[in-house]
Amino acid sequence: GQQVMQIPQYQHVQEGEDFTTYCNSSTTLSNIQWYKQRPGGHPVFLIQLVKSGEVKKQKRLTFQFGEAKKNSSLHITATQTTDVGTYFCAGPRVQGAQKLVFGQGTRLTINP
Amino acid sequence: NAGVTQTPKFQVLKTGQSMTLQCAQDMNHEYMSWYRQDPGMGLRLIHYSVGAGITDQGEVPNGYNVSRSTTEDFPLRLLSAAPSQTSVYFCASTHGSSYEQYFGPGTRLTVT
């Protein structure tokens, strides 16, 4: 079945360093979403990418959707302690459906 | 708006017991989903509903039942709890025109 793989599983950085997580799907996606989950919290929607090659920015966060719409990345510039958490990517199981398949997540920890 | 609410927050069950996890949303969203989250495995879809009276199986449905009698409520029933069902359970809802999922705060379930 459809799989969404995310790497790395864990990343520890010094505050101020950059961070990137990568997401790869076994199938072409109509869109991809990113979520953030703080420790002990619930996933919160960050962004959705729809177009091939799309790049979106939210302050220090940059999201990219690959040209083939099978991979995506999230890059955080100059991490801050507020960035701590687990970042998930997710794509629809079937095109046009709201059923999502999630990557395993990348857990980011930061040394202040 | 309260968004998506879940009760209880924590629950301990003995093997073989049954219980219902409650989920409600006040955003008039058509789509609702149940996920379980286990370490290193991301969020896995248990059951899904596209509207009142309509449910569908997700990735890991065995051992769980759902029903959707109203737009607002989507309870998840464990018929005979097993230790393998120890997990954190999240309910989520989505508006029909969007893929963005709104998550509840979660229920942490331990089965001994």
Side-chain angles (χ1 to χ4, degrees), chain A residues 8 10-14 17-19 107-112:
Chain A
Y10 302 98
Q11 184 77 57
H12 180 76
V13 301
Q14 291 290 123
E17 291 181 339
D18 291 357
F19 160 77
R107 183 179 172 189
L108 173 64
T109 55
I110 298 175
N111 201 22

Side-chain angles (χ1 to χ4, degrees), chain A residues 9 30-31 33 35 37 41-43 45 48 88 92-93 95-100 102-105, chain B residues 31 35 37 40-43 45 48 56-57 59 90 94-101 103-105:
Chain A
Q9 191 172 356
S30 59
N31 68 83
Q33 301 179 27
Y35 291 80
Q37 184 178 23
H42 58 276
F45 175 83
Q48 177 174 284
F88 294 97
R93 292 180 180 273
Q95 186 160 352
Q98 276 75 3
K99 294 166 67 171
L100 296 181
F102 281 78
Q104 302 96 318
Chain B
Y31 299 89
Y35 295 90
Q37 184 174 35
M41 300 189 74
L43 293 143
L45 183 66
Y48 171 82
D56 190 12
Q57 292 185 350
E59 187 181 350
F90 289 102
T94 309
H95 190 273
S97 61
S98 166
Y99 290 93
E100 175 184 349
Q101 304 229 339
F103 284 84

Side-chain angles (χ1 to χ4, degrees), chain A:
Chain A
Q2 181 186 10
Q3 291 187 339
V4 175
M5 305 298 293
Q6 209 174 331
I7 56 170
Q9 191 172 356
Y10 302 98
Q11 184 77 57
H12 180 76
V13 301
Q14 291 290 123
E15 188 174 14
E17 291 181 339
D18 291 357
F19 160 77
T20 305
T21 174
Y22 300 91
C23 184
N24 292 287
S25 171
S26 59
T27 60
T28 300
L29 299 170
S30 59
N31 68 83
I32 195 160
Q33 301 179 27
W34 286 91
Y35 291 80
K36 177 183 178 181
Q37 184 178 23
R38 294 183 186 274
H42 58 276
V44 174
F45 175 83
L46 292 177
I47 206 161
Q48 177 174 284
L49 305 173
V50 178
K51 299 177 183 176
S52 169
E54 189 170 14
V55 178
K56 286 189 176 180
K57 293 190 176 185
Q58 289 180 350
K59 296 183 181 179
R60 295 177 294 102
L61 277 62
T62 301
F63 303 84
Q64 291 188 320
F65 201 10
E67 294 289 341
K69 301 184 74 173
K70 294 182 72 173
N71 57 71
S72 181
S73 64
L74 158 59
H75 179 82
I76 302 178
T77 303
T79 54
Q80 300 175 359
T81 54
T82 53
D83 296 324
V84 164
T86 301
Y87 294 85
F88 294 97
C89 60
R93 292 180 180 273
V94 175
Q95 186 160 352
Q98 276 75 3
K99 294 166 67 171
L100 296 181
V101 58
F102 281 78
Q104 302 96 318
T106 296
R107 183 179 172 189
L108 173 64
T109 55
I110 298 175
N111 201 22

